[in-house]
Amino acid sequence: MVKKVIAVVVLIALLGVAIVQAMDKKAEPENVSQEAANMGGLKVGAKAPDFELKTLSGDTVKLSDLKGKKVMLNFWATWCPPCKAEMPAMEEFHKEAGDEVVILAVNIDPHLDVKAFVDENGITFPIPLDAEDKVNETYQV
């Protein structure tokens, strides 16, 4: 009889643990792309997801074409105060680094006047425009 009681208690405990773990799993947010969801989120040291975007100057830039180069990938918006504050330092770094480092400053609000902002601040590095918000989603910015 004691063995049966212990077996029932152990089974109930295991069932309770299984229910708690099942309820504890968080569903992926709807705005996360399938690629990012499949990756389990972006992890340190993981290969950066590839993307291809038009730049402000009309060129096309594809991340995978820069394989083997040092790339500084930045996401920014014209309405973002920290983004505005970092741009002069990034421009200075761009001038100092020259061809050693490629800066890709992906703009996430291309519907605003990005060109005026870039011209006003004397930015010379490439500004890819994420018009469809796909790269922003993939990188979970």
Side-chain angles (χ1 to χ4, degrees), residues 15 24 36 67 101 106 110 123 130 134:
L15 183 61
D24 205 28
K67 186 175 181 174
V101 178
V106 178
I123 307 301
D130 190 12
K134 289 183 179 178

Side-chain angles (χ1 to χ4, degrees), residues 27 63 106 110 113:
L63 185 61
V106 178
D113 196 359

Side-chain angles (χ1 to χ4, degrees), residues 53 110 129-135 137:
L53 295 172
L129 303 172
D130 190 12
E132 296 178 15
D133 206 38
K134 289 183 179 178
V135 179
E137 264 186 35

Side-chain angles (χ1 to χ4, degrees), residues 5 13 15 17 19 35 43 59 62 66 69 75 77-78 80 86 88-89 114 126 129 140-141:
V5 171
L15 183 61
V17 169
I19 290 171
E35 181 179 350
K43 308 253 188 267
D59 299 326
K62 187 172 182 179
L66 301 172
K69 296 183 180 184
F75 292 87
T78 57
C80 167
E86 72 186 0
V114 178
L129 303 172
Q140 301 175 6
V141 177

Side-chain angles (χ1 to χ4, degrees), residues 50-54 60-65 128-129 135:
D50 196 17
F51 61 84
E52 184 173 344
L53 295 172
K54 289 275 189 200
T60 299
V61 64
K62 187 172 182 179
L63 185 61
S64 60
D65 289 345
L129 303 172
V135 179

Side-chain angles (χ1 to χ4, degrees), residues 17-83:
V17 169
I19 290 171
V20 169
Q21 286 183 347
M23 293 175 66
D24 205 28
K25 287 188 177 180
K26 297 177 184 170
E28 288 292 326
E30 290 180 26
N31 64 341
V32 175
S33 73
Q34 189 59 42
E35 181 179 350
N38 290 343
M39 292 174 48
L42 300 176
K43 308 253 188 267
V44 174
K47 183 178 177 182
D50 196 17
F51 61 84
E52 184 173 344
L53 295 172
K54 289 275 189 200
T55 65
L56 190 59
S57 63
D59 299 326
T60 299
V61 64
K62 187 172 182 179
L63 185 61
S64 60
D65 289 345
L66 301 172
K67 186 175 181 174
K69 296 183 180 184
K70 295 175 188 171
V71 177
M72 178 179 164
L73 183 58
N74 182 45
F75 292 87
W76 68 284
T78 57
W79 47 262
C80 167
C83 302

Side-chain angles (χ1 to χ4, degrees), residues 71-134:
V71 177
M72 178 179 164
L73 183 58
N74 182 45
F75 292 87
W76 68 284
T78 57
W79 47 262
C80 167
C83 302
K84 291 178 183 180
E86 72 186 0
M87 283 297 184
M90 286 175 53
E91 179 61 25
E92 185 177 327
F93 176 72
H94 174 64
K95 289 177 179 171
E96 290 173 6
D99 293 337
E100 294 292 315
V101 178
V102 176
I103 297 177
L104 294 179
V106 178
N107 179 268
I108 62 172
D109 68 350
H111 58 282
L112 299 178
D113 196 359
V114 178
K115 181 162 178 31
F117 178 86
V118 168
D119 292 343
E120 182 179 305
N121 290 282
I123 307 301
T124 60
F125 47 82
I127 307 290
L129 303 172
D130 190 12
E132 296 178 15
D133 206 38
K134 289 183 179 178

